[in-house]
Amino acid sequence: MADEILANVEDGIATVTLNRPDQRNAMNGALLLGLRLAFDALDDRRDVRVVVVRGAGPAFCSGMDLKEMEAQGGASGDPEAGVVAVLQRVERSRHPTIALVHGDAIAGGCELALHCDLRVAADHARFGMPLARIGLVVPFVLGQKLVEIIGPAHTRHLMFTGQPIDAKRALEIGMVHQVVAAGELEAATSQLAQTIARNAPLALAGIKATIQRAISLRENIAHADLDEASGRARQSADASEGRRAMLEKRRPVFRGE
C-alpha cells in the first residue's frame, strides 16, 4: 500500500487515513491507488465491522492534485477516470463507512465524503464543488451522487456558484448527518462507529447491499454525451487557465475556448 494511505484496525473499527497533509490530501495517482488497495484488503477481513475515512493534517481532502492534473491535461484519455473508479470502490465497500470530516472537503474530497455511507463533520469544516471556477464539468456519476444526496436544487446552487458551504449549511441540506465542535469530533465519530460495530456483521452487510440494490438502476442512465462534454471542457484552454490560476492564487481569465 502506498505511503499516501495509512490503514489500521482496532476493535472492529478500521481507520483509513489520507496521508498527504502538506498537499491538503490532494488526490494524486499514488493516493488513489492506495485508497483502492486499502478497501480491497479491508473487504476480505472479517474482524472489521465499520470503516472510518479521514485525512491527516488540517484538510479532509482538497480534491484532485491540480499539478498532476495540469500535467496530464493535454494528454488523451481522462485523468479523472481514476478518481471516479476509486470513489465507486469506496461506495461498494462491504462494510458501513463513515467520513470523519475535520477540515475542508473540496471537489473530489467532497465526493469522497459523499461516497461514504455516513458523514460526521467538525463545525468549522467546509464542503465545496468549485469545478466551474476552474473550467471543469463534473463527471456524470459524481454529479449524480450530489443529486442523490442533496437533491437537484441544492446541487445547482453548489455547482453553479462554486462557493463552499459551512458544516451547518451542509447539515441543513442533508449532506452530513452530524455536526459537532472540533474538539468533540473524534469522540462523536468513535461513538457512532462503535454503535454500528456492535450490530451483527451479516445484518450490516445485508442492509448495505439492499440499499445499494435499491439505487442500482441509476447506473443504467445513458450519459456518453455528457462524458464527451466533460472531456471537451477538461481539455479546453479555459480549464488549463483555471487550474493554473488556482495554483497561482489569482482570478482566472476565461475566454470560452
Side-chain angles (χ1 to χ4, degrees), residues 188-228:
T189 305
S190 177
Q191 181 178 11
L192 177 59
Q194 290 173 22
T195 298
I196 295 170
R198 284 193 290 268
N199 293 326
L202 293 179
L204 290 173
I207 290 167
K208 181 160 183 175
T210 297
I211 295 168
Q212 290 177 320
R213 182 71 59 82
I215 61 177
S216 62
L217 288 179
R218 65 185 180 179
E219 298 178 1
N220 297 330
I221 298 174
H223 55 86
D225 57 330
L226 299 177
D227 290 341
E228 290 177 7

